[in-house]
């Protein structure tokens, strides 16, 4: 079974600065997908960024980028120019490309606080 | 367009009662997932529907939990003889059905069992 570990229960950053959230995962599969989801206090999970394991190029979405290290099974999220609206719980998630029907396995989450 | 909606947003019930939680997915999405999120934790998979059939119910914790999607759209998660340990936020998500595609989540139903 796959597992996802987020070792930082809480992180904080000053507005306009950069912060990196860590995620490691364990799998024996070679093809899979990795995601970062954001969950604000409203509870609505929002996709931040997605990475396909067979693509070596790191995904980027505006101020959000990932550092995907397949051999190390590491998938960190970098948030540049942090904004107050980035404050939320962030979850790293794994999905097999095989027969698991796309179900997500989530990490424990990291609470991000943004200070003005 | 409308996103995923879930009703009720909050449900308080007494131990031993029966509850139903409803999910309205995005129109046209064939895949529907239910997850359970305990306080301070990440969501955990419960069940997956492709169309009307439950393709994977391996995450349901026991036989008190059951879910249906009779017409391939709206889904209902049913919990019998509720226990205090069932208290959690129940999240529903839908997607186009292609593996690796984004799952769109609803706001969840917070279930409290007294």
């Amino acid at each position: 079974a796959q597992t996802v570990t987020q070792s930082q229960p809480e992180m904080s950053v000053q507005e306009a600065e950069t912060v990196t959230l860590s995620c490691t995962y364990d799998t024996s599969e070679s093809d899979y997908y990795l995601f970062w989801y954001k969950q604000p206090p409203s509870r609505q999970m929002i996709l931040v960024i997605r990475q396909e394991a067979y693509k070596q190029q790191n995904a980027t979405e505006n101020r959000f980028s990932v550092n995907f290290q397949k051999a190390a099974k590491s998938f960190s999220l970098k948030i540049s120019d942090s904004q107050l609206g980035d404050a939320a719980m962030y979850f790293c998630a794994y999905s097999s490309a095989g027969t698991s029907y796309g179900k997500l396995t989530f990490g424990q989450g990291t609470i991000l606080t943004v200070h003005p | 367009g409308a996103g995923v909606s879930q009703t009720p947003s909050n449900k308080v019930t007494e131990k031993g009662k029966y509850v139903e939680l409803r999910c309205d997915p995005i129109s046209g999405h064939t895949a529907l997932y239910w997850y359970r999120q305990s306080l301070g934790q990440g969501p955990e998979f419960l069940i997956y529907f492709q169309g009307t059939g439950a393709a994977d119910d391996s995450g349901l914790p026991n036989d008190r939990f059951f879910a249906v999607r009779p017409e391939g759209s709206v889904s209902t998660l049913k919990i019998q003889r509720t226990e205090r340990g069932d208290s959690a936020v129940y999240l529903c998500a839908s997607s186009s059905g292609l593996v690796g595609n984004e799952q769109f989540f609803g706001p969840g139903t917070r279930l409290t069992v007294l």
Side-chain angles (χ1 to χ4, degrees):
Chain A
Q2 293 78 27
T3 58
V4 178
T5 302
Q6 294 177 248
S7 58
Q8 306 156 316
E10 297 183 29
M11 290 286 284
S12 64
V13 63
Q14 290 293 132
E15 196 175 6
E17 297 195 342
T18 295
V19 65
T20 298
L21 308 185
S22 301
C23 173
T24 58
Y25 58 94
D26 188 24
T27 184
S28 59
E29 299 175 329
S30 60
D31 198 12
Y32 48 87
Y33 300 87
L34 295 165
F35 306 83
W36 278 98
Y37 275 89
K38 169 185 177 181
Q39 187 177 43
S42 66
R43 300 198 305 242
Q44 188 106 30
M45 298 276 273
I46 302 163
L47 179 66
V48 175
I49 199 164
R50 170 181 174 273
Q51 174 79 42
E52 300 169 58
Y54 65 85
K55 289 187 176 179
Q56 294 187 346
Q57 186 173 7
N58 288 323
T60 63
E61 286 287 341
N62 301 312
R63 298 182 295 107
F64 299 87
S65 62
V66 299
N67 183 3
F68 173 48
Q69 301 289 329
K70 190 172 185 179
K73 296 179 182 174
S74 170
F75 182 62
S76 61
L77 174 70
K78 185 171 84 171
I79 306 174
S80 304
D81 185 26
S82 296
Q83 300 176 0
L84 295 177
D86 294 334
M89 176 81 95
Y90 285 81
F91 291 99
C92 178
Y94 172 102
S95 172
S96 171
T99 58
S100 67
Y101 309 109
K103 67 184 178 186
L104 296 170
T105 300
F106 287 88
Q108 306 93 318
T110 297
I111 299 172
L112 178 65
T113 302
V114 181
H115 297 289
Chain B
V4 178
S5 63
Q6 293 187 245
T7 53
S9 58
N10 290 283
K11 176 71 176 178
V12 180
T13 191
E14 294 179 344
K15 180 176 178 294
K17 299 291 188 181
Y18 168 84
V19 296
E20 290 189 351
L21 311 179
R22 176 187 168 107
C23 172
D24 273 277
I26 292 172
S27 178
H29 278 187
T30 57
L32 186 146
Y33 305 81
W34 283 98
Y35 295 87
R36 180 168 73 173
Q37 185 176 20
S38 299
L39 189 62
Q41 301 296 315
E44 294 179 318
F45 169 78
L46 293 177
I47 187 168
Y48 159 72
F49 287 89
Q50 178 60 38
T52 60
D56 183 356
D57 64 358
S58 62
L60 294 178
N62 52 60
D63 61 6
R64 295 187 297 105
F65 289 75
F66 189 71
V68 296
R69 194 186 185 198
E71 297 178 356
S73 180
V74 171
S75 177
T76 304
L77 178 65
K78 308 180 181 194
I79 311 175
Q80 299 177 322
R81 304 183 304 281
T82 52
E83 300 178 356
R84 294 194 178 87
D86 298 337
S87 296
V89 174
Y90 290 81
L91 296 169
C92 175
S94 70
S95 79
S96 64
L98 295 176
V99 172
N101 274 16
E102 178 181 358
Q103 291 184 24
F104 294 83
F105 283 80
T109 294
R110 181 180 299 281
L111 175 66
T112 303
V113 182
L114 301 176

